[in-house]
Amino acid sequence: MASTVESVKSKVLIIGGTGYLGKRLVKASLEQGHETYILHRPEIGVDIEKVQMLLSFKARGAHLVPGSFSHYQSLVDAVKLVDVVICAISGVHIRSHHILLQLDLVKAIKEAGNIKRFLPSEFGTDPARMGDAMEPGRVTFDDKMVVRKAIEEAGIPFTYVSANCFAGYFIGGLCQPGKILPSKDSVLLLGDGNQKAIYVDEDDIATYTIKTIDDPRTLNKTLYLRPPQNILSQREVVQLWEKLIGKELKKSSITKEEFLASIKGLDYAEQVGLTHYYHVCYEGCLTNFEIGDEGEEASKLYPEVKYTKIEDYLKQYV
Ligand code: NDP
């Protein structure tokens, strides 16, 4: 199934355009030739890095639109400028988590009435499949489902992007929580280290996301990112790393019971993150289902995207 060629490229508003994923969405949107608008929130104040990032996007042709979640009408006005809204508002507790602020955005999109597609801040595990997730990490999925319900009740056309694991968080640390740089000496395996997960370079997440916004095949569906060569177990990731550094790592492992016990007593944000690792690395929540009629897979829809393979992603750490 090759990608359809769209004659008209939608105008896109990106909210959270200075964020870890959001800045990549802005870049991909500009690269793919979309007229790109970025919400510029006065709350960023004198954050010089964010301001300079916004100015660099402006220099590349993006439009900065003043607006704030604290000023509802400014959201309506911003939304009226475009065809597609992508929100990449924060949703990682160790950084910050503001998923439910999107309820106002949903209201604004409904009121504006012109939006052809809304992509809410998701970009992870499919929350619709996490109804049995553990506390406290389930808050992420529950909040994202609250936003989905509001979108669907408002009749807003949508695409949900299930991006699986951001490579920077997972691959950098050889899938060990709390680590984002790989050791050349040792690694802690979660369980037997054989559970498969899916890792995607953040720039590729942005590329696939922008590819899909004008694609009728993903309208009112979930786009799952499953680049076939990046579906790997922790052991396989470690093997790729060992090959690159020409050395075997010392391996120890932590059982499911020990892992769960280690979470107790940690601060809330850490507990949320570790619960997610539990579902991914012990339960295999990313790979234990087939994509049904409600979804599409990105690498099949867009075979022209040359995604970064994990063995290449790891080279930057050597
Ligand atoms: P960031 O933490 O980088 O934040 C993104 C943006 O959120 C900020 O740039 C800011 O936008 C906006 N923001 C923060 N606080 C507020 C506020 N109070 N009011 C309005 N806007 C605010 O987000 P990430 O890129 O880490 O996360 C984006 C999405 O990706 C989330 O849904 C998250 O769950 C998901 N994710 C998935 C991962 C995975 O492995 N699958 C890993 C990490 C994230 P600005 O200042 O530009 O206005």
Side-chain angles (χ1 to χ4, degrees), residues 20 162-171 198-206 208 224-227 230 307-308 310 313:
Y20 181 65
S162 174
N164 295 306
C165 299
F166 283 18
Y169 279 107
F170 284 81
I171 293 303
I198 306 167
Y199 310 98
V200 193
D201 179 313
E202 290 82 342
D203 288 316
D204 294 337
I205 295 173
Y208 284 125
Y224 295 90
L225 274 48
R226 290 185 165 185
N230 290 2
Y307 68 84
T308 304
I310 293 310
Y313 192 89

Side-chain angles (χ1 to χ4, degrees), residues 14-25 38-44 47 50 53-54 67-70 87-99 101-102 120-125 140 144 162-170 198 200 202 205 276 286:
I14 295 172
I15 294 174
T18 61
Y20 181 65
L21 182 64
K23 65 184 177 209
R24 293 171 165 85
L25 291 167
I38 311 169
L39 192 77
H40 167 212
R41 303 184 310 120
E43 288 89 345
I44 70 174
D47 185 333
K50 281 194 175 186
M53 192 189 301
L54 288 171
S68 166
F69 280 85
S70 325
C87 187
I89 199 165
S90 56
V92 175
H93 283 73
I94 50 165
R95 285 164 67 79
S96 78
H97 177 87
H98 290 292
I99 293 297
L101 279 182
Q102 292 178 104
S121 190
E122 291 234 351
F123 308 108
T125 305
T140 311
K144 288 180 176 178
S162 174
N164 295 306
C165 299
F166 283 18
Y169 279 107
F170 284 81
I198 306 167
V200 193
E202 290 82 342
I205 295 173
H276 294 174
L286 302 179

Side-chain angles (χ1 to χ4, degrees), residues 116-189:
K116 293 199 301 198
R117 204 164 319 189
F118 175 42
L119 285 71
S121 190
E122 291 234 351
F123 308 108
T125 305
D126 180 2
R129 296 180 185 275
M130 300 306 288
D132 295 325
M134 273 173 34
E135 294 286 0
R138 62 171 302 131
V139 62
T140 311
F141 313 122
D142 289 346
D143 285 2
K144 288 180 176 178
M145 286 307 286
V146 169
V147 175
R148 282 192 184 192
K149 188 162 173 278
I151 293 169
E152 290 170 34
E153 283 177 0
I156 296 167
F158 63 84
T159 299
Y160 304 134
V161 177
S162 174
N164 295 306
C165 299
F166 283 18
Y169 279 107
F170 284 81
I171 293 303
L174 301 175
C175 317
Q176 301 164 101
K179 294 200 189 319
I180 52 171
L181 285 172
S183 163
K184 291 187 177 168
D185 297 312
S186 61
V187 63
L188 178 69
L189 297 173

Side-chain angles (χ1 to χ4, degrees), residues 294-314:
E294 83 297 347
E296 298 287 348
E297 198 281 309
S299 67
K300 288 198 182 110
L301 293 189
Y302 315 113
E304 67 277 17
V305 174
K306 302 285 168 247
Y307 68 84
T308 304
K309 295 178 187 61
I310 293 310
E311 56 186 295
D312 293 325
Y313 192 89
L314 276 166

Side-chain angles (χ1 to χ4, degrees), residues 101-294:
L101 279 182
Q102 292 178 104
L103 293 176
D104 265 356
L105 179 60
V106 171
K107 253 172 66 188
I109 291 173
K110 187 175 181 193
E111 183 178 329
N114 58 307
I115 290 304
K116 293 199 301 198
R117 204 164 319 189
F118 175 42
L119 285 71
S121 190
E122 291 234 351
F123 308 108
T125 305
D126 180 2
R129 296 180 185 275
M130 300 306 288
D132 295 325
M134 273 173 34
E135 294 286 0
R138 62 171 302 131
V139 62
T140 311
F141 313 122
D142 289 346
D143 285 2
K144 288 180 176 178
M145 286 307 286
V146 169
V147 175
R148 282 192 184 192
K149 188 162 173 278
I151 293 169
E152 290 170 34
E153 283 177 0
I156 296 167
F158 63 84
T159 299
Y160 304 134
V161 177
S162 174
N164 295 306
C165 299
F166 283 18
Y169 279 107
F170 284 81
I171 293 303
L174 301 175
C175 317
Q176 301 164 101
K179 294 200 189 319
I180 52 171
L181 285 172
S183 163
K184 291 187 177 168
D185 297 312
S186 61
V187 63
L188 178 69
L189 297 173
L190 304 190
D192 60 13
N194 289 324
Q195 194 63 258
K196 296 265 189 189
I198 306 167
Y199 310 98
V200 193
D201 179 313
E202 290 82 342
D203 288 316
D204 294 337
I205 295 173
T207 300
Y208 284 125
T209 301
I210 300 299
K211 281 254 168 201
T212 218
I213 59 179
D214 285 331
D215 187 341
R217 297 171 298 179
T218 55
L219 182 61
N220 296 334
K221 287 193 175 188
T222 299
L223 180 71
Y224 295 90
L225 274 48
R226 290 185 165 185
Q229 295 200 45
N230 290 2
I231 304 175
L232 300 167
S233 68
Q234 186 186 12
R235 275 189 191 274
E236 288 169 327
V237 171
V238 172
Q239 275 163 15
L240 291 173
W241 176 239
E242 288 175 333
K243 202 171 143 202
L244 278 174
I245 61 170
K247 183 182 166 197
E248 249 189 63
L249 303 191
K250 281 189 230 101
K251 298 179 188 72
S252 53
S253 71
I254 177 164
T255 66
K256 177 170 88 174
E257 293 72 24
E258 288 165 341
F259 185 86
L260 290 174
S262 75
I263 297 178
K264 296 210 173 78
L266 296 178
D267 77 39
Y268 179 76
E270 285 179 300
Q271 289 193 38
V272 169
L274 288 170
T275 316
H276 294 174
Y277 270 87
Y278 172 76
H279 289 300
V280 170
C281 300
Y282 287 96
E283 291 193 327
C285 69
L286 302 179
T287 52
N288 64 6
F289 64 93
E290 299 290 326
I291 298 170
D293 292 342
E294 83 297 347

